[in-house]
Amino acid sequence: MRSEKKNNATAWKISFFALAGIIALAFLILFIKIGIPKDQPLPVAESTKTSQEASSINIKADKDTLNKLIANYIRKESDPEAFKYQVILNKTIEFYTEIPVFTKDLQLKMTFKPVPLDNGNLVLKERSMELGNMNLPASYVLNFIDKQKSLPEWLMINPKKEEIYVNLHDIDLFDGAILKVDTFNLKEDDISFKLVVPEL
């Protein structure tokens, strides 16, 4: 029973996780939860210690590797009957899905600019939206997404500001470990994270 509940919770996390790109989070959980595909090289990892953090591991990766990891994760873990989506790291975070508008399902493409914060979390700022021939405000679409069931607590959508706040610190990892963003520059393909592990 516990295993079944845990699998259901993970499935919901996957759906909205990618939604924001949510890609930054998708990538992070991929490393921890399911590992690396056989044909993909491991990201460069380096252990560091500072006076403020007991122990940490720096993780670097490129967009090509992350795109394959995300696609692999979605293919393996997504429920075929659930929310369908695609996330691609390009010059921005690209999110693709379909949403119901009146009597039709329209193709949606949204792009987000990732902005790392000083506290190690991430804000995804909406940059563009294409929804068939419809001209709807991004706030309308984000409000629709925000009303979906089982939205993870660490993913907060703000339709008015047209952005998504990704609270990496609230992701349940292991033994109190937390994730922090160091850099997330897609244009320069400079992406790095820090996994902070408390002392035992």
Side-chain angles (χ1 to χ4, degrees):
M1 180 67 71
R2 289 183 179 177
S3 178
E4 183 178 351
K5 288 182 178 180
K6 183 177 180 181
N7 289 338
N8 290 337
T10 301
W12 281 113
K13 283 186 178 182
I14 294 165
S15 297
F16 287 97
F17 179 84
L19 166 65
I22 308 199
I23 108 257
L25 296 179
F27 153 63
L28 295 170
I29 289 187
L30 287 176
F31 283 116
I32 296 170
K33 300 279 186 180
I34 65 171
I36 309 296
K38 293 181 179 178
D39 60 344
Q40 292 304 308
L42 286 170
V44 177
E46 179 182 355
S47 296
T48 62
K49 284 189 176 182
T50 70
S51 59
Q52 297 173 334
E53 297 164 351
S55 182
S56 64
I57 299 173
N58 293 334
I59 302 171
K60 293 183 67 68
D62 57 65
K63 288 185 292 187
D64 288 342
T65 299
L66 298 187
N67 280 329
K68 290 175 182 177
L69 285 169
I70 293 168
N72 184 60
Y73 190 53
I74 293 173
R75 183 176 63 254
K76 286 185 176 181
E77 302 296 332
S78 292
D79 182 348
E81 302 300 323
F83 188 70
K84 295 181 180 179
Y85 57 85
Q86 184 180 14
V87 176
I88 298 174
L89 302 185
N90 204 330
K91 291 182 179 180
T92 59
I93 296 172
E94 299 176 359
F95 171 72
Y96 299 88
T97 190
E98 292 184 348
I99 66 170
V101 177
F102 301 115
T103 60
K104 296 182 179 180
D105 288 338
L106 298 181
Q107 294 284 339
L108 170 68
K109 174 186 177 181
M110 296 189 77
T111 63
F112 297 86
K113 177 183 178 181
V115 180
L117 303 177
D118 291 340
N119 64 2
N121 288 324
L122 191 69
V123 169
L124 307 179
K125 294 183 177 291
E126 190 271 339
R127 282 292 175 263
S128 67
M129 186 185 73
E130 299 174 15
L131 183 60
N133 295 322
M134 299 289 293
N135 185 20
L136 296 176
S139 58
Y140 174 88
V141 176
L142 289 174
N143 188 59
F144 167 81
I145 294 169
D146 191 35
K147 290 181 178 179
Q148 301 304 303
K149 296 179 180 179
S150 299
L151 189 67
E153 293 181 359
W154 41 261
L155 184 62
M156 292 165 279
I157 297 177
N158 190 327
K160 290 184 179 180
K161 290 187 176 181
E162 300 181 352
E163 65 183 27
I164 299 172
Y165 183 80
V166 183
N167 190 348
L168 300 179
H169 302 173
D170 280 357
I171 298 177
D172 186 18
L173 298 177
F174 57 91
D175 297 332
I178 63 173
L179 292 165
K180 293 185 176 183
V181 175
D182 275 341
T183 59
F184 212 95
N185 188 329
L186 295 177
K187 291 183 179 180
E188 300 296 330
D189 207 0
D190 180 15
I191 304 169
S192 64
F193 300 88
K194 181 177 292 183
L195 176 64
V196 181
V197 182
E199 288 183 341
L200 298 177

